[in-house]
Amino acid sequence: MKFGIDRLLSEPALQTDLKGRRVALLGHPASVTADLTHSLDALMACADLNVTAAFGPQHGMRGDLQDNMMESPDFTDPRHGIPVFSLYGEVRRPSGQAMGTFDVLLVDMQDLGCRIYTFVTTLLMGAGPAQPRRATG
């Protein structure tokens, strides 16, 4: 079996619709190629793709926040210089500013069923406008 990211990178025909468009990645720590290269790094290494942003769910794009319920801020990726927007921080949905950074969103979030809420909710929440997080009492 070949991961979708590996197919995208190895089959030029799959990249045709992405050429000339701004691409963003929604990924997490398990977003990797068959050789365990993080998908963001693999996409950035592809000369024909214009990756302009990334989005990370709870626990962050690269798993830097593993503690439960720890929110993460938006930041600029230190290696690639692109914005990484948190979908588990001030907002749970992409802001208008974040949505304006890309034309195509690639989703690469593997799940073994142990995060039955986290990643599915991230996909569902991405369908609406950003709303500030409300404190609960």
Side-chain angles (χ1 to χ4, degrees):
M1 179 176 83
K2 220 175 186 183
F3 294 141
I5 187 69
D6 292 310
R7 288 194 59 218
L8 176 65
L9 296 170
S10 67
E11 299 176 28
L14 295 177
Q15 297 176 23
T16 302
D17 289 339
L18 301 177
K19 289 184 182 173
R21 301 178 84 185
R22 299 171 303 156
V23 176
L25 172 69
L26 169 56
H28 61 83
S31 301
V32 296
T33 63
D35 69 358
L36 302 181
T37 300
H38 194 277
S39 295
L40 180 58
D41 298 329
L43 289 169
M44 293 299 292
C46 186
D48 290 336
L49 297 181
N50 180 25
V51 181
T52 57
F55 293 83
Q58 184 179 13
H59 308 297
M61 169 67 72
R62 296 186 190 263
D64 47 325
L65 296 171
Q66 286 301 312
D67 289 342
N68 193 29
M69 306 305 288
M70 236 181 124
E71 295 184 344
S72 57
D74 296 345
F75 66 95
T76 299
D77 184 278
R79 182 183 294 168
H80 304 298
I82 64 169
V84 178
F85 297 101
S86 172
L87 297 179
Y88 198 78
E90 277 297 309
V91 296
R92 301 290 197 258
R93 296 176 179 190
S95 67
Q97 173 194 1
M99 294 295 285
T101 63
F102 67 93
D103 302 313
V104 176
L105 178 66
L106 301 177
V107 177
D108 186 9
M109 295 201 310
Q110 293 81 15
D111 185 19
L112 295 173
C114 62
R115 297 260 183 217
I116 58 173
Y117 172 82
T118 305
F119 301 141
V120 170
T121 301
T122 297
L123 294 173
L124 290 172
M125 296 287 278
Q131 298 175 359
R133 180 181 46 82
R134 294 192 178 104
T136 57

